[in-house]
Amino acid sequence: MKGGEAIIKALIEQGADTVFGYPGGQVLPLYDMIYNSDLNHVLVRHEQSASHAADGFARASGKVGVCIATSGPGATNLVTGIATAYMDSSPVVAITGQVPTHLIGNDAFQEVDMLGIAMPITKHAFQPKNPDEIPAMINSSFELAKTGRPGPIVIDVPKNVQEQDLSDYFSNIDNFSELTLDTPGYSPTIKGNPRQIKKASKIIANSSKPIILAGGGVIISGASKELKEFSELIQAPVTTTLLGKGSFPEDNDAYLGMLGMHGRKVANLSLDESDCIIAIGCRFSDRTTGSIEEFARNSKVIHIDIDPAEIGKNIEVDVPIVGDAKNILIKLITDIKTLDIKKINQNSIEWYNDTLLFKKSCIPRLTYNETPLKPQQIIKEISHALDEDSIITTDVGQHQMWAAHFFDTIKPRKFISSGGLGTMGFGFPSAIGAKVAMPENDVLAVTGDGGFLMVCQDLATVKEYDIPLIICLFNNRKLGMVYQWQNLFYEKRLSHTDLGQTPDFLKLSESFGVNAERITEVGETEKAIRAAKKDGEAILLDIVIDKNEELPMVPPGCGITDILGEYKIENDITGINGGNSDTNDTIANKRGGD
Ligand SMILES: Cc1ncc(C[n+]2csc(CCOP(=O)(O)OP(=O)(O)O)c2C)c(N)n1
């Protein structure tokens, strides 16, 4: 058995029967062995798409995603996708070719120090020097990628190691799965300290304004059911981070929307007023907290996270609990049930009801009959055309935030977006990965004209493998998000954010053999998505949107209550927006309504 065969055998034993890749000189031996193997290889058209597709595959399915590239430029093209997966704790195994061992360090053709590059953007990076090391290395890579706080792993395999035979002992092992590497010091804490959990229960019981902040960790640990039970038990409203979308059913009354710089007003103002923040599986990124000095001013903070390095990193915490979100929520629920629930609920009922009324007063208007089309209306049409098992991926920009704000995600792993790295070019290839992983689910990519152009070559992959994706391209002829920042914070000096001569996306798509339709009228998006679902073929919808629509946002460096701009609201019940009910006026004023 050769090194390359050992890679394939170990991958298949790990359940990784699908890989996204692109061949080249230093992975020729591996590709030669893939030729007649059972591995399902998807040939993407740029290595960046391979790493994003593997990431989308992982986020949609909860399994490890795998990508392969050659050494040098192939490996460096994977890097953005690997860093994206690292920032968002996604389990990806990236296999890169490397020059033969005797040439390493010689600046050989297509040599790059992939181990060095990978170290700061992976959980770990390996390089086997001997093919016997491969089985254990692959097994441990999968173990490391998916356990504890998940993340990407790189295995950089020199060409000669792919070609060499394993020793007889290893060649004759039927099943590699018992073979693992020694990983000293790696033992993620999953249980959570019972004393800390008790302490948290007491603080929650005494709180009169509790709020839950749920992050991507809730989804990763499969704790959505427990999160809902917990919220109902203590009667606390729930806000999420971008990556936490789907951890809690967003059609539930208690859901306030996303928090932070691009957060929803009701979420930001309520969190600011709460007296007890229970943060679960989130890392308090600057996009979530805004100015740290102004964050959680009135509040005790309970922080549950599996990664001890996250605790106290950005925000001072009153009760840290290190462990798996699901385990800890189960224990927290059990503990709180031993206390006087009636009293706990009495403490917080006024706050809970006020918050829900405040939420009602802030429901954004989604119905617009005008052209050019409003993004709110488009997301509404997308929502109508899809069901709760459909998966949405987004790129990065204004369209991402509109999707985050207006697409009610009901189930976990159904909203996939690049949060930490904010990678333009992520939305489309991650949708390819998600669809390959979950062929039964409708998958729709929401993307901008800027981001889509960075990865549009993978329309060829969609055509070649007949991947029935729906691509909704929010076409505003500019780099909308950056344009908005220039408008707001750089005195309207619009430096290089107008895309000028954008391509004809219909012709572009059709040249790849992928159907396309231009959308200019209200109702056409929903109709086109429904038709595409029936047809079962990929389609690109070039949706011409109002290029002047802007997002409410918190200026960088400000506290999360300093929101610039406001959505038009659907339902005016507070009196503060021109309505005439006075009952809730005080609530809105209390929370800084304007
Ligand atoms: C790879 C990369 N380059 C640059 C940026 C900075 N950036 C963030 S949003 C954005 C504009 C995105 O424009 P578009 O894709 O058209 O989406 P829109 O904001 O218009 O919806 C840019 C340039 C980024 N996030 N990623």
Side-chain angles (χ1 to χ4, degrees):
M1 179 182 293
K2 297 197 181 303
E5 285 172 277
I7 293 175
I8 296 167
K9 177 172 155 62
L11 286 177
I12 290 175
E13 282 178 10
Q14 284 291 339
D17 48 10
T18 300
V19 301
F20 302 89
Y22 204 93
Q26 307 301 348
V27 276
L28 270 170
L30 174 60
Y31 269 82
D32 191 47
M33 293 159 208
I34 288 176
Y35 185 64
N36 266 336
S37 77
D38 293 333
L39 211 54
N40 172 25
H41 180 278
V42 178
L43 175 68
V44 291
R45 295 325 197 242
H46 188 299
E47 290 89 349
Q48 182 176 346
S49 294
S51 44
H52 288 325
D55 188 353
F57 180 99
R59 297 194 206 198
S61 64
K63 298 184 202 160
V64 175
V66 182
C67 54
I68 303 179
T70 191
S71 66
T76 54
N77 275 349
L78 288 182
V79 166
T80 299
I82 295 171
T84 303
Y86 183 65
M87 289 292 270
D88 289 350
S89 311
S90 180
V92 167
V93 169
I95 298 171
T96 49
Q98 183 53 279
V99 301
T101 42
H102 70 279
L103 288 178
I104 290 179
N106 283 17
D107 294 335
F109 177 64
Q110 294 192 330
E111 181 185 2
V112 74
D113 175 9
M114 192 55 188
L115 280 190
I117 291 172
M119 271 308 167
I121 53 163
T122 55
K123 265 182 100 170
H124 200 62
F126 295 103
Q127 189 180 68
K129 296 279 178 7
N130 174 327
D132 284 351
E133 296 174 51
I134 287 175
M137 219 169 252
I138 299 254
N139 292 343
S140 291
S141 294
F142 273 70
E143 184 63 15
L144 289 171
K146 66 189 177 193
T147 55
R149 176 179 184 174
I153 304 286
V154 163
I155 313 174
D156 190 46
V157 193
K159 186 174 187 180
N160 57 326
V161 177
Q162 297 165 41
E163 284 165 335
Q164 285 161 4
D165 286 322
L166 275 72
S167 63
D168 286 349
Y169 173 77
F170 283 98
S171 287
N172 290 326
I173 294 178
D174 262 359
N175 190 314
F176 286 158
S177 57
E178 298 292 300
L179 303 171
T180 51
L181 297 175
D182 201 14
T183 46
Y186 182 74
S187 70
T189 309
I190 51 169
K191 279 192 176 148
N193 183 316
R195 255 181 302 164
Q196 294 295 89
I197 296 175
K198 274 236 147 50
K199 210 166 150 191
S201 308
K202 279 196 190 135
I203 291 180
I204 294 166
N206 289 321
S207 141
S208 54
K209 297 176 178 179
I211 192 165
I212 297 167
L213 168 58
V218 174
I219 295 174
I220 293 167
S221 92
S224 292
K225 187 175 136 270
E226 289 73 17
L227 176 65
K228 184 156 176 282
E229 192 187 340
F230 180 58
S231 148
E232 283 165 1
L233 180 69
I234 64 166
Q235 279 186 350
V238 178
T239 173
T240 62
T241 63
L242 178 74
L243 291 192
K245 263 184 79 70
S247 61
F248 189 79
E250 297 185 0
D251 57 352
N252 189 297
D253 278 348
Y255 183 63
L256 305 183
M258 191 170 84
L259 184 78
M261 171 183 271
H262 294 292
R264 294 288 295 279
K265 176 176 162 182
V266 58
N268 285 11
L269 270 52
S270 300
L271 184 119
D272 184 60
E273 197 182 310
S274 80
D275 65 0
C276 172
I277 299 169
I278 307 138
I280 312 168
C282 75
R283 62 188 177 88
F284 291 115
S285 84
D286 52 297
R287 282 294 190 267
T288 294
T289 61
S291 152
I292 289 179
E293 288 72 37
E294 291 168 57
F295 188 79
R297 288 176 290 196
N298 312 309
S299 198
K300 293 238 186 295
V301 179
I302 297 163
H303 190 186
I304 299 168
D305 203 280
I306 198 153
D307 184 355
E310 287 301 342
I311 309 255
K313 188 179 87 179
N314 296 334
I315 292 292
E316 257 181 59
V317 170
D318 297 279
V319 187
I321 311 177
V322 176
D324 175 71
K326 184 170 177 148
N327 277 334
I328 292 169
L329 276 173
I330 291 172
K331 287 187 190 139
L332 207 48
I333 290 168
T334 313
D335 258 19
I336 289 175
K337 280 185 176 166
T338 64
L339 305 174
D340 185 348
I341 297 287
K342 252 195 180 161
K343 196 165 154 246
I344 295 175
N345 289 345
Q346 265 165 14
N347 269 351
S348 58
I349 189 69
E350 190 186 339
W351 149 260
Y352 184 74
N353 288 339
D354 276 4
T355 304
L356 267 43
L357 278 172
F358 182 37
K359 174 184 165 179
K360 273 193 187 153
S361 76
C362 300
I363 293 173
R365 178 176 157 198
L366 295 183
T367 307
Y368 287 85
N369 285 318
E370 61 226 56
T371 52
L373 296 164
K374 290 281 184 197
Q376 294 89 323
Q377 169 71 24
I378 301 306
I379 302 283
K380 182 178 130 177
E381 292 188 29
I382 291 173
S383 306
H384 282 177
L386 298 179
D387 60 43
E388 58 185 36
D389 288 314
S390 307
I391 298 169
I392 282 216
T393 70
T394 82
D395 212 72
V396 169
Q398 288 176 317
H399 61 277
Q400 174 189 34
M401 294 306 155
W402 284 314
H405 288 173
F406 306 128
F407 185 81
D408 278 349
T409 313
I410 310 300
K411 294 184 174 175
R413 301 196 180 280
K414 303 292 179 267
F415 186 90
I416 294 174
S417 193
S418 166
L421 203 67
T423 307
M424 279 173 79
F426 173 82
F428 171 43
S430 63
I432 294 178
K435 184 67 187 174
V436 170
M438 310 296 285
E440 303 302 322
N441 302 51
D442 293 315
V443 177
L444 184 146
V446 172
T447 179
D449 38 356
F452 183 70
L453 269 183
M454 290 185 170
V455 284
C456 61
Q457 74 287 332
D458 272 284
L459 284 168
T461 311
V462 164
K463 179 67 187 170
E464 182 66 29
Y465 294 90
D466 197 8
I467 301 170
L469 279 188
I470 301 166
I471 304 160
C472 287
L473 192 155
F474 281 49
N475 190 343
N476 56 6
R477 284 81 63 206
K478 62 186 188 186
L479 300 173
M481 181 65 98
V482 183
Y483 184 100
Q484 173 168 343
W485 280 54
Q486 290 174 338
N487 237 339
L488 293 174
F489 312 122
Y490 291 85
E491 293 159 359
K492 298 190 192 301
R493 286 193 299 280
L494 305 173
S495 181
H496 301 280
T497 43
D498 193 321
L499 285 173
Q501 197 60 41
T502 49
D504 180 333
F505 285 104
L506 298 198
K507 286 190 182 149
L508 177 82
S509 193
E510 281 158 6
S511 75
F512 284 97
V514 174
N515 298 333
E517 195 175 321
R518 180 155 301 126
I519 304 285
T520 54
E521 298 295 328
V522 171
E524 287 179 350
T525 306
E526 182 173 349
K527 220 166 114 198
I529 295 172
R530 288 190 188 281
K533 281 170 55 175
K534 249 196 196 152
D535 285 359
E537 280 192 27
I539 191 163
L540 179 143
L541 304 178
D542 177 18
I543 307 171
V544 182
I545 61 158
D546 181 356
K547 63 180 188 172
N548 297 316
E549 190 65 20
E550 292 200 342
L551 293 157
M553 70 173 288
V554 173
C558 292
I560 53 169
T561 56
D562 295 334
I563 305 171
L564 269 185
E566 189 157 11
Y567 286 125
K568 289 207 166 46
I569 60 167
E570 192 89 59
N571 213 341
D572 197 345
I573 63 160
T574 62
I576 47 168
N577 288 296
N580 54 15
S581 161
D582 53 8
T583 33
N584 304 310
D585 198 18
T586 46
I587 304 158
N589 285 335
K590 256 196 319 204
R591 309 263 170 105
D594 49 20

